[in-house]
DNA sequence: CCGGACGCCTGTCGGC
DNA sequence: TGCCGACAGGCGTCCG
């Protein structure tokens, strides 16, 4: 999916079009997403003003007058801002229509995404409450990773992809961060020292920030609110590059499965 | 508590 | 050419 940089890019793209605007209505073409869009969501949203937009991990949060809207892009979701009469494609499941005759349109072929209104505070929602710290915020550093990993045996790649530990790091950026830090993805997380965790925390921040600057990574489905792609795919060092020479040493990049996810690494540069 | 496997969906690609 | 399995950016849930 959309990992943190793609969600952040989406937030920056849509926020100017939505912030302070009033919701005119909701058009739902497909209710069956990760969680069904319950009947009554339309009525709950109609007429509400969007007070502000935020990102928490890979979730987009729209604060409303009553409660809030929680949006997740799953594996294949994207959001566009369009004139509301723009014909919808086969996977355009939801339009959040505004009073200016434009709409926020959710496209999500695989339907792992979430579009959920809650009358309560967004931060206390069960999907949000237990999330770990933001990797680009305070409270995330090498000492935190080191302390949290003591006594655990999971592969470090699985470890940093756990949203209860730190949010926003998905499969692409986990692979890229571990390459930048020179750490083998299958190394048990509890057997990595404090100094290497400092390198890893720094690598995660650097990779995510660079990806945001490039507007995220477009592999297949992800596009910006205006339909344009992100360009970080050009800067990937290992993800999707099995058999290609490592940009650092020239040895072929290797691919294997770790925790049911494809993993890419250089066996010579990552120990 | 932890770690691993599974399922939710559709589209695409490689092999036979 | 067609079919079939594997795989794809996530993550909640279940089980041992």
């Amino acid at each position: 999916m959309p990992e943190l940089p793609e969600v952040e890019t989406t937030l920056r793209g849509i926020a100017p079009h939505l912030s302070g605007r009033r919701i005119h209505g909701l058009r739902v073409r497909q209710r069956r997403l990760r969680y069904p869009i319950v009947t009554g969501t339309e009525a709950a949203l109609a007429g509400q003003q969007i007070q502000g937009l935020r990102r928490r991990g890979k979730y987009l949060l729209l604060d409303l007058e009553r409660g809030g809207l929680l949006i997740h892009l799953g594996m294949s979701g994207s959001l566009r801002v369009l004139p509301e009469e723009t014909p919808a494609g086969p996977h355009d499941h939801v339009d959040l229509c505004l009073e200016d005759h434009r709409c926020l349109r959710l496209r999500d072929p695989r339907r792992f995404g979430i579009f959920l209104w809650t009358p309560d505070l967004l931060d206390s929602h069960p999907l949000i409450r237990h999330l770990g710290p933001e990797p680009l915020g305070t409270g995330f550093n090498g000492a935190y990773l080191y302390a949290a990993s003591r006594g655990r045996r999971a592969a470090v790649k699985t470890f940093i992809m756990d949203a209860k530990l730190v949010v926003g790091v998905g499969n692409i950026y986990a692979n890229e961060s571990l390459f930048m830090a020179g750490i083998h993805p299958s190394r048990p997380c509890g057997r990595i020292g404090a100094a290497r965790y400092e390198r890893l925390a720094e690598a995660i921040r650097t990779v995510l920030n660079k990806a945001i600057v490039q507007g995220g990574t477009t592999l297949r489905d992800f596009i910006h609110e205006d339909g344009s792609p992100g360009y970080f795919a050009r800067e990937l060092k290992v993800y999707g590059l099995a058999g290609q020479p490592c940009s650092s040493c020239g040895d072929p990049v290797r691919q294997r499965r770790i925790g049911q996810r494809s993993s890419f690494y250089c066996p010579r540069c990552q120990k």
Side-chain angles (χ1 to χ4, degrees):
Chain A
M1 116 158 140
E3 304 181 33
L4 186 150
E6 290 72 37
V7 180
E8 179 66 24
T9 300
T10 298
L11 171 69
R12 294 180 187 184
I14 69 173
H17 301 284
L18 299 185
S19 195
R21 298 283 161 74
R22 199 165 289 279
I23 297 168
H24 185 250
L26 186 69
R27 259 192 308 219
V28 182
R29 302 182 190 81
Q30 169 61 270
R31 296 193 175 275
R32 310 197 67 79
L33 303 183
R34 181 76 161 82
Y35 304 104
I37 300 173
V38 297
T39 321
T41 303
E42 290 91 334
L45 292 177
Q48 290 215 57
Q49 187 186 42
I50 302 168
Q51 313 284 54
L53 295 85
R54 300 180 279 151
R55 179 188 59 73
R56 180 74 176 95
K58 302 175 193 173
Y59 290 88
L60 283 166
L61 308 179
L62 277 64
D63 293 299
L64 307 175
E65 292 168 289
R66 277 197 312 128
L69 189 58
L70 193 154
I71 300 175
H72 193 290
L73 300 177
M75 288 279 264
S76 58
S78 60
L79 289 167
R80 296 192 66 173
V81 176
L82 296 163
E84 67 177 356
E85 296 314 318
T86 308
H91 301 298
D92 292 336
H93 305 312
V94 184
D95 290 351
L96 183 73
C97 302
L98 306 172
E99 288 190 324
D100 64 359
H101 301 291
R102 285 192 297 181
C103 68
L104 180 72
R105 177 168 289 175
L106 173 67
R107 172 175 297 186
D108 185 8
R110 293 181 69 183
R111 289 197 264 138
F112 291 161
I114 297 170
F115 191 97
L116 191 61
W117 177 74
T118 169
D120 307 314
L121 286 176
L122 289 170
D123 302 273
S124 58
H125 192 277
L127 291 171
I128 304 297
R129 201 184 340 169
H130 304 292
L131 294 176
E134 290 286 334
L136 302 179
T138 57
F140 178 75
N141 53 41
Y144 169 75
L145 290 178
Y146 178 76
S149 60
R150 292 311 90 183
R152 296 181 61 171
R153 278 163 304 193
V156 62
K157 175 162 176 277
T158 308
F159 179 62
I160 62 172
M161 288 177 68
D162 180 356
K164 291 190 289 303
L165 176 84
V166 59
V167 294
V169 182
N171 202 28
I172 295 179
Y173 301 112
N175 279 296
E176 292 297 309
S177 300
L178 288 164
F179 174 78
M180 180 175 285
I183 299 171
H184 195 289
S186 63
R187 176 169 288 273
C189 66
R191 304 218 332 267
I192 294 174
R196 306 195 76 202
Y197 270 124
E198 286 297 341
R199 282 196 68 186
L200 180 55
E202 192 54 41
I204 289 171
R205 277 195 295 268
T206 302
V207 166
L208 294 177
N209 276 320
K210 285 188 172 181
I212 291 170
V213 168
Q214 294 299 318
T217 303
T218 295
L219 297 178
R220 180 171 294 107
D221 300 298
F222 174 71
I223 48 172
H224 299 169
E225 90 292 343
D226 61 358
S228 63
Y231 292 109
F232 193 71
R234 299 185 304 201
E235 301 192 25
L236 295 174
K237 304 282 195 237
V238 287
Y239 182 86
L241 298 175
Q244 301 285 104
C246 167
S247 62
S248 177
C249 76
D251 279 10
V253 170
R254 200 167 293 176
Q255 175 176 10
R256 58 169 278 222
R257 290 187 88 71
I258 299 170
Q260 283 90 252
R261 309 301 297 274
S262 243
S263 304
F264 302 86
Y265 61 98
C266 171
R268 185 157 158 195
C269 297
Q270 296 174 254
K271 299 294 184 189

